């Protein structure tokens, strides 16, 4: 993984996409994992969309670093969410 576990509390997530169709979320997650990201599905947002996190990290600075890596890998619309 690009970001090792620094703590059990991963409050920051770099979001790669939100999907109403679960299979689309799974497809993005599979794509991200194939590119070396420690991505995961982290639940649904208030609108019922499945959230795909490119990375989940403990600190804001780790999130900013992960966001840059994601954007430099072609995921220009990625953003940071604190959960």
């Amino acid at each position: 993984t690009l970001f090792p576990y620094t703590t059990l509390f991963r409050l920051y997530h770099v979001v790669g996409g939100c999907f109403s169709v679960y299979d689309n979320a799974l497809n993005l997650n599979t794509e991200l994992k194939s590119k070396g990201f420690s991505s995961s599905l982290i639940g649904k947002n208030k609108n019922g969309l499945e959230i795909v996190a490119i990375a989940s990290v403990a600190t804001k600075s780790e999130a900013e670093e992960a966001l840059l890596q994601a954007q430099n890998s072609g995921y220009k619309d990625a953003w940071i969410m604190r959960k």
Side-chain angles (χ1 to χ4, degrees):
T1 61
L2 295 176
F3 292 89
Y5 286 90
T6 55
T7 179
L8 295 176
F9 301 99
R10 293 181 169 245
L11 300 176
Y12 295 90
H13 306 278
V14 176
V15 176
C18 298
F19 299 90
S20 59
V21 177
Y22 185 74
D23 284 346
N24 292 344
L26 287 177
N27 289 340
L28 177 59
N29 190 46
T30 299
E31 174 186 312
L32 290 163
K33 286 186 177 297
S34 75
K35 293 183 178 183
F37 289 99
S38 57
S39 61
S40 61
L41 303 179
I42 59 169
K44 294 184 178 183
N45 67 14
K46 65 182 179 182
N47 297 319
L49 301 178
E50 195 70 47
I51 304 167
V52 181
I54 295 173
S56 296
V57 295
T59 67
K60 185 176 180 182
S61 62
E62 286 177 315
E64 290 166 346
E65 183 182 342
L67 178 62
L68 283 175
Q69 286 186 359
Q71 290 173 334
N72 290 336
S73 296
Y75 301 97
K76 301 292 185 198
D77 295 328
W79 53 280
I80 296 173
M81 176 182 79
R82 188 174 192 277
K83 188 173 181 182

